[in-house]
Amino acid sequence: MKLAIASGKGGTGKTTVAVNLAALLAARGHHVALADCDVEEPNAHLFLPVEWKTREQCTLPVPRVNEALCLGAACRRCVDACRFKALAFMGDAVLDFPDLCHGCGLCALVCPTGALTYATRLVGEVRGGIARIRPAMGTNADRPDTAERDLVHTEAAPVLRFRDGVLRIGEAMATPLIKAVKDVPPPTMPQPGPVAQGEGVQGPCAFVIRDCPPGVACAAINAVHDADLLLLVAEPSPFGLHDLRLAVGLARHLRLPHAVVLNRAGMGVGMGSGLGCSGATPSATAAGGTPAGDPVRAWTEREGVPLLGVIPFSRAAAECGATGSLVHDAAPEVRAAYAALADALEKMAGNAAGPRRPWDGMGLSGLAGLATPGTAPRVADESGATTGGKERTCAR
Amino acid sequence: MRQIVVISGKGGTGKTSVTAALAAVARESAAPAGGARAGGTHPPALVLADCDVDASDLHLLLAPVVRERHDFHSGVLARIDAALCTRCGSCTAACRYGALDAPPRVAREMCEGCGACAHLCPEGAVALDERHCGEWYVSDTRFGPMVHAALGIGEENSGKLVSTVRTLAREIAEALGADTVLVDGSPGVGCPVIASLAGADTALLVTEPTVSALHDLERVHALTLHFGVRAAVLLNKADIHVGMARRIEAFCAEHALPLLGSLPHSPVFMGAQFAGLSVPEFAPHAEGALFREVWNSLRAMTPTATGD
Ligand code: SF4
Ligand code: SF4
Ligand code: SF4
Ligand code: SF4
């Protein structure tokens, strides 16, 4: 199952959710690969002391002019063709500006003499490695000694495959690097087949979890567009709601199955009085003066967007996150919330291989515009508008 | 005129709340000087530019009244005329961005508008249309004029839209004689944030005491060095983790980055957000006083080169 974890804006806890969920699923014996596609700010590795194994450079082809073959001012076709102003005519020679080039290849196509060959520009680096997870994590064992780290270096420990990309500072083209990172080979399974093929009996599942770039622009789209499920992490605040609405807009536009994970739930409770909620009409309870709870929950209910997880705000968990450790052991209620989220995903991944679609039986049938799992939805130019569903699920 | 940009690298550090708070204290510090004249003829203290065009939140606090609305076009988008297309597949093979499938349909989200398909199509079936990417607005807020924008879902080119917003804010400030342009910068370290840094005098880097934020602080700091923009740091939620706060302080000291202030993690930020107010309006005494200090330091750091 390809799970994309995204948000309309950074800082909602997307990376925290991705890392903790990946570690928990790996601790439960699933085959998990975590790809940090947020190449501008790759932070997931800070939470998992990764043993790095591979480093590859990601490059973009940029043209190089062979002046011996170039016809010069008489031709200029490449300069006229380039839509990104990466080629210019200076004096009697074609000058390339590799930093502006998008690597589209058009200039070489139009060149009548083959004077344009391709060199490369460094976009960033793709790093791969593994992290060993403490098997007991996420179980109901008593809270272990806090001095104990989440990783143990034994061969028996569950392994999480990890991959991320680091964008070169000053580089504007993030998408080639995102593509290189997200195309992580799916975890190898003991039995043939990409996903556990069992009927009824659930073996270990394969999860590819992507920590996606925030926002709804091209970087985010490249990371999410072929996912089986988009998990949108949101905060219970007016900003959080506004950002979530953008993210849900993106999911509907791409016709991707999506669900919300409410992070730091309870943080804003008691403050909502129906004010300032980005044009949303205050709900009846809010208008009545009672605390409106958080605006995100109310909105997901109204819109029929499934709420798949509710992770409570916990000061202890925030401190763990601050230092880069996993939050499972910080607070029992946080651990329970992740366990519930993992349960729901296991159920979906188990179903994904069978005849049922992953959202069947999950109360997710309210999702509209669904794609068949495993196939990348083609994004045609139609509106992609969807209707809010009737059913919803609550992970609590 | 000075241009001050607020950036953070990592999201969620409170960049937008900080921008709104600075706008509020700038407004109140300017009001006594020129505010005696009625009728609003005195120049505004500042012009705001919201360069967080991907997911702007500043308008939630500033309640802008839109005066002008403009379409934003950038680049082109391929369109295939099915009546002319013979499904030969040349365009699909040429597209390096996977924006065409076979039979060719254009995936709007993937198309970079390079025109390779149009060049190769033997039937002339590909048209390149101007691409509508979003809208930008000139608005009035209680703190002064604001230029802001909304990028359409799935649209790129936020670098260009950011430049449009920033340039216009500067022009408005010049026309009105405002002495400061305050920019809510884009998140991240990529193209949009580079566009929001361009031409800035000072960048205020808003951070928080977490490993992720420190990691991103290093990256945005490198960016300000690369572009020769003066930088200062504001540490938000300073008491979330004392040890990490020390590490941020050490980082600032090591790189000679002035640390203009440390704000406690306080429910006031959230309260102001729910009330649709800036922090100094919501809590004028405690947090408001802190922001006044930060604003004064920023002004002191950024003398107006030519103006006044
Ligand atoms: S590859 Fe494309 S973007 Fe780069 S120089 Fe050639 S035409 Fe321009
Ligand atoms: S298209 Fe080829 S021959 Fe013509 S100017 Fe460009 S490089 Fe020279
Ligand atoms: S314009 Fe370029 S990116 Fe767009 S469909 Fe054509 S070849 Fe692909
Ligand atoms: S190159 Fe032209 S004719 Fe051939 S498939 Fe593409 S649009 Fe159709």
Side-chain angles (χ1 to χ4, degrees):
Chain A
M1 174 183 222
K2 280 183 282 191
L3 195 63
I5 303 190
S7 61
K9 187 162 200 167
T12 57
K14 186 173 54 62
T15 301
T16 309
V17 170
V19 169
N20 284 285
L21 196 58
L24 179 56
L25 288 168
R28 289 184 176 190
H30 298 295
H31 299 257
V32 182
L34 176 64
D36 185 354
C37 297
D38 190 359
V39 299
E40 281 189 24
E41 290 143 2
N43 287 336
H45 70 98
L46 299 171
F47 296 83
L48 296 165
V50 178
E51 298 166 33
W52 297 108
K53 304 272 189 200
T54 58
R55 252 165 222 277
E56 301 149 42
Q57 295 201 323
C58 173
T59 58
L60 195 68
V62 297
R64 173 104 359 122
V65 187
N66 180 344
E67 279 171 26
L69 292 176
C70 178
L71 303 176
C75 174
R76 295 183 53 112
R77 286 188 208 173
C78 55
V79 177
D80 296 337
C82 178
R83 296 199 152 260
F84 307 105
K85 300 188 177 71
L87 295 170
F89 217 81
M90 297 276 280
D92 198 30
V94 175
L95 221 69
D96 50 64
F97 296 93
D99 277 351
L100 297 176
C101 175
H102 287 224
C104 69
L106 179 58
C107 49
L109 288 174
V110 302
C111 179
T113 64
L116 289 169
T117 52
Y118 281 91
T120 55
R121 166 174 109 213
L122 181 67
V123 173
E125 196 181 46
V126 181
R127 308 183 294 185
I130 57 163
R132 292 179 204 282
I133 309 297
R134 184 162 51 73
M137 187 180 60
T139 65
N140 288 326
D142 284 338
R143 183 179 163 154
D145 179 6
T146 41
E148 188 187 340
R149 286 293 304 199
D150 291 311
L151 299 200
V152 287
H153 292 271
T154 66
E155 288 307 311
V159 164
L160 179 72
R161 296 240 320 274
F162 185 77
R163 197 163 149 106
D164 73 358
V166 186
L167 194 69
R168 180 175 61 87
I169 290 270
E171 171 62 56
M173 292 280 293
T175 41
L177 185 58
I178 291 170
K179 283 184 184 152
V181 173
K182 79 166 192 187
D183 289 332
V184 49
T188 40
M189 298 297 294
Q191 70 271 49
V195 182
Q197 297 287 345
E199 289 174 61
V201 183
Q202 278 191 21
C205 306
F207 287 97
V208 176
I209 298 180
R210 295 184 193 147
D211 183 9
C212 299
V216 294
C218 50
I221 287 185
N222 271 284
V224 306
H225 77 97
D226 56 350
D228 299 322
L229 176 69
L230 186 56
L231 275 190
L232 301 168
V233 181
E235 264 190 348
S237 70
F239 284 7
L241 174 59
H242 181 252
D243 304 336
L244 176 65
R245 292 165 76 156
L246 289 174
V248 169
L250 173 74
R252 288 177 176 170
H253 187 74
L254 292 175
R255 304 170 153 243
L256 275 178
H258 56 281
V260 173
V261 174
L262 185 61
N263 195 21
R264 304 185 193 124
M267 191 171 65
V269 165
M271 295 210 166
S273 50
L275 291 164
C277 293
S278 76
T281 42
S283 69
T285 49
T290 38
D294 67 69
V296 168
R297 215 188 271 243
W299 185 81
T300 53
E301 269 172 36
R302 261 206 316 279
E303 289 283 313
V305 178
L307 190 60
L308 202 60
V310 177
I311 298 166
F313 177 74
S314 143
R315 173 108 197 167
E319 278 177 24
C320 278
T323 53
S325 45
L326 299 176
V327 300
H328 295 291
D329 298 325
E333 70 274 21
V334 172
R335 188 172 65 201
Y338 275 105
L341 184 54
D343 290 346
L345 292 168
E346 272 174 353
K347 205 166 154 195
M348 294 169 115
N351 286 346
R356 284 143 60 88
R357 300 180 304 174
W359 44 88
D360 287 342
M362 288 299 302
L364 293 182
S365 47
L367 293 171
L370 298 168
T372 315
T375 59
R378 292 307 307 185
V379 183
D381 220 349
E382 61 238 36
S383 76
T386 59
T387 51
K390 312 279 176 293
E391 286 187 60
R392 33 181 185 267
T393 184
C394 178
R396 298 244 296 200
Chain B
M1 194 201 358
R2 58 172 83 82
Q3 196 165 315
I4 295 173
V5 56
V6 183
I7 55 175
S8 67
K10 183 183 179 297
T13 58
K15 173 176 67 65
T16 297
S17 296
V18 167
T19 308
L22 292 177
V25 296
R27 183 74 205 148
E28 74 189 29
S29 68
R37 260 183 291 166
T41 48
H42 67 278
L46 82 169
V47 175
L48 285 148
D50 186 354
C51 286
D52 195 348
V53 299
D54 289 284
S56 69
D57 285 331
L58 194 55
H59 64 282
L60 299 178
L61 298 182
L62 299 192
V65 179
V66 175
R67 274 195 287 127
E68 294 172 29
R69 178 188 295 265
H70 302 268
D71 283 328
F72 176 71
H73 294 274
S74 177
V76 292
L77 178 68
R79 177 170 50 83
I80 288 162
D81 185 340
L84 296 177
C85 173
T86 58
R87 304 188 168 192
C88 70
S90 312
C91 54
T92 306
C95 179
R96 291 208 176 166
Y97 306 101
L100 293 167
D101 55 2
R105 265 189 309 165
V106 180
R108 183 185 171 103
E109 284 71 24
M110 299 285 159
C111 177
E112 290 264 329
C114 67
C117 49
H119 170 73
L120 279 179
C121 177
E123 309 297 333
V126 184
L128 298 173
D129 297 338
E130 205 183 7
R131 182 172 182 138
H132 182 259
C133 298
E135 291 185 330
W136 55 273
Y137 318 93
V138 182
S139 301
D140 284 323
T141 74
R142 59 191 183 277
F143 304 136
M146 166 156 119
V147 186
H148 52 126
L151 203 61
I153 282 183
E155 293 303 336
E156 44 207 318
N157 291 317
S158 39
K160 275 186 203 158
L161 185 52
V162 165
S163 303
T164 305
V165 166
R166 201 178 39 73
T167 310
L168 206 85
R170 192 179 180 97
E171 282 170 17
I172 291 177
E174 266 161 12
L176 296 178
D179 69 353
T180 307
V181 175
L182 182 63
V183 181
D184 188 6
S186 312
V189 294
C191 190
V193 75
I194 291 170
S196 45
L197 270 178
D201 299 298
T202 303
L204 180 64
L205 316 180
V206 182
T207 192
E208 63 183 20
T210 63
V211 271
S212 306
L214 176 57
H215 190 245
D216 292 344
L217 178 63
E218 288 166 9
R219 281 174 74 91
V220 283
H221 177 236
L223 210 57
T224 57
L225 287 180
H226 187 90
F227 289 97
V229 176
R230 239 175 321 213
V233 174
L234 178 64
L235 180 57
N236 196 6
K237 310 178 197 170
D239 51 348
I240 274 237
H241 197 278
V242 178
M244 280 307 304
R246 290 286 108 74
R247 276 179 64 191
I248 302 256
E249 285 162 12
F251 174 84
C252 293
E254 194 184 319
H255 293 86
L257 268 172
L259 181 60
L260 298 189
S262 294
L263 298 164
H265 185 218
S266 123
V268 160
F269 275 72
M270 189 65 94
Q273 216 184 94
F274 273 95
L277 292 173
S278 73
V279 170
E281 291 170 299
F282 189 77
H285 300 297
E287 279 80 4
L290 271 165
F291 276 112
R292 258 165 237 127
E293 271 173 43
V294 172
W295 181 243
N296 289 335
S297 319
L298 270 177
R299 282 171 62 100
M301 275 181 73
T302 322
T304 45
T306 48
D308 308 3

